[in-house]
Amino acid sequence: MQQDSTSSRPPRRPSSLACMACRRRHLKCDAQMPVCSRCQASSTECRYIQSRRGLRTKNGNPPQQLLDDDASIFSAIDPDDFTDWLSGTNLTSDLVDIGQGLFQPQLEAPQTLDISGLPENALAWPELENAVTPDVAYDPLIQLYYQTFHRSHPLLIPRKALHSSLSKKIPQYIISIMRFIGAHQHHDPSLKELFRQSAYSVLSDSTPRDGFKVQGMVLLAIVDHARGAEDSATRIMQAAVSLALELGMNKAAFAAEHSGGNSILEESWRRTYWELYFVDGFLAAMRDQSAFQLLHNAADVRLPCNEELYNSGDAVILSNLTFKDLINKWHSDDERRFPSSAYRIKAVRLLGMVMELNRSLDIDLDTQIETIDAALATSLMQLPSSQRDVYGSHSGLDEMTFQAQMTSYLALIYLHHPRSNMRYASIHAHTSCTRLPTTREATPPSTSLDLHSQKLLRAADLLCNLATLPNPVKYRTPFFTCALAMCVVVHTVACLFVSIPAKQESIKARIQLGVGALHVLGKSWPLAKTVRQRLIAMYQELGLRCQ
């Protein structure tokens, strides 16, 4: 009888190579080619990724085929699992060791992908230099953009829409801007410079003057402000406003005419105008010297839809609510539910009205002050009391409601500070975020708080308390830097007026909270770091009563 040839073979040793299906499930793989035993038994697609060990070109870079393999790794990851995997919350999932090109199970998951050692061409997945493909959704820096920034300023299409044909419409400079912003949340500072030039190419005269250019300029204005480049942010913002009005983005027809029948893109164009409106108003308040350009500009573009619906990536049910409906809501029994972003728009409008009032040369402003004060109080009362964050956390406030509160409290501070006796404190609080006018006197004329001072301090207390919400401070809008800085200034000045020990302890705790939150934001945004240093110096100079 012929002996079975397989009986003479030595037992198979465990293989260091494993197919992707087995590695994802943490199962032993016999690494048979072309299909392993497990995949053959379960009729599963069996794929292998070649190791990079020992494979380098003469210039030290991996061959292009290995970069293609990296892209296939990411395309095999389920989109719904990618957020947890990248943030380190799903400790049972596999990690990609990009340096070796292999899946390797780890006991501890990093907070972000370690891509600091990659060459520049490895950061852009194959074919992404000249075109945008659905694979860009798996780019680590794009993921950081959506994870940490998009929820605060949601004007671009949602991440899930990158898997649709809509991705072909996106200019390359928008992808570069997203990477540039995402790099600010990465531990390797050199990544920011890697994408800086390509991100700012949106400002080139050769870039088509369209809605995408407006989107890019709005994002760069936010980033430049957060990086402390105030003059640049102002110029870019003014150019963005001018181009948007030239294109007619403030008209309802623009979104429909430039969407190609795609409801997600149509909603993105609407959001672009209202994001422009919000950023223009906020930066104008921080500058304090220039007018809110869009405050009185006529606009019939519809308000944004619900955040959760938009970020679902499905066909969007467009909102029929207008800015006029939003204004009239406060004067009628309109029971229609407005999206949380509408309250954010309302808040920045009231902030603009406060700044306009403060520049007024009229003598008798009491009635107008009382009207705006009441409007701000009413808008805060009508904010949604609890909304689920579209990214799954239960902070009690979604990001748009958070920013509506932040902006409303800032408006109250700007409204009451020029009229309070706290303005007499001699302080050095001039930063890119804090330009509170003061009367230079050696000592305050009174150590008691008048009504405006009480309202001022109450607004600063409530604004500072926003830093205690469950959502991480580092993921808040970069504009939170200026809100926190204003709180620190107000509370430091309050030390000269408050003599009650318990209240002083409360004030000191809030100063520490504000400075601590600025420290967190300063890890990502240079403005927060600079402002924090100046405020600490101010506190040390003035805080004799708060030691």
Side-chain angles (χ1 to χ4, degrees), residues 202-215:
V202 65
L203 304 179
S204 170
D205 292 338
S206 61
T207 305
R209 296 175 63 80
D210 56 15
F212 289 112
K213 183 163 187 169
V214 174
Q215 288 183 335

Side-chain angles (χ1 to χ4, degrees), residues 354-365 368 419:
V354 169
M355 303 309 296
E356 193 172 61
L357 182 66
N358 288 346
R359 290 192 299 271
S360 175
L361 299 178
D362 293 342
I363 298 176
D364 187 7
L365 296 173
Q368 297 178 58
R419 297 157 183 95

Side-chain angles (χ1 to χ4, degrees), residues 292-399:
F292 180 176
Q293 299 177 79
L294 296 177
L295 180 60
H296 298 295
N297 187 78
D300 60 358
V301 58
R302 297 293 192 264
L303 295 175
C305 70
N306 177 273
E307 296 302 302
E308 187 170 4
L309 174 63
Y310 182 60
N311 285 285
S312 69
D314 299 325
V316 175
I317 301 175
L318 301 174
S319 168
N320 289 321
L321 298 170
T322 66
F323 188 68
K324 184 177 180 180
D325 295 329
L326 178 65
I327 302 304
N328 291 338
K329 174 180 172 61
W330 319 107
H331 308 290
S332 66
D333 294 328
D334 191 345
E335 295 298 329
R336 287 179 295 177
R337 184 175 181 180
F338 284 72
S340 54
S341 57
Y343 298 91
R344 175 184 184 238
I345 295 168
K346 173 69 174 181
V348 81
R349 176 177 180 268
L350 289 172
L351 175 61
M353 292 170 65
V354 169
M355 303 309 296
E356 193 172 61
L357 182 66
N358 288 346
R359 290 192 299 271
S360 175
L361 299 178
D362 293 342
I363 298 176
D364 187 7
L365 296 173
D366 289 347
T367 301
Q368 297 178 58
I369 293 169
E370 292 173 0
T371 300
I372 295 181
D373 188 34
L376 283 165
T378 301
S379 64
L380 284 165
M381 292 176 188
Q382 295 182 338
L383 283 175
S385 58
S386 178
Q387 292 200 20
R388 184 176 183 272
D389 187 279
V390 295
Y391 286 77
S393 64
H394 294 269
S395 66
L397 295 177
D398 71 355
E399 185 63 26

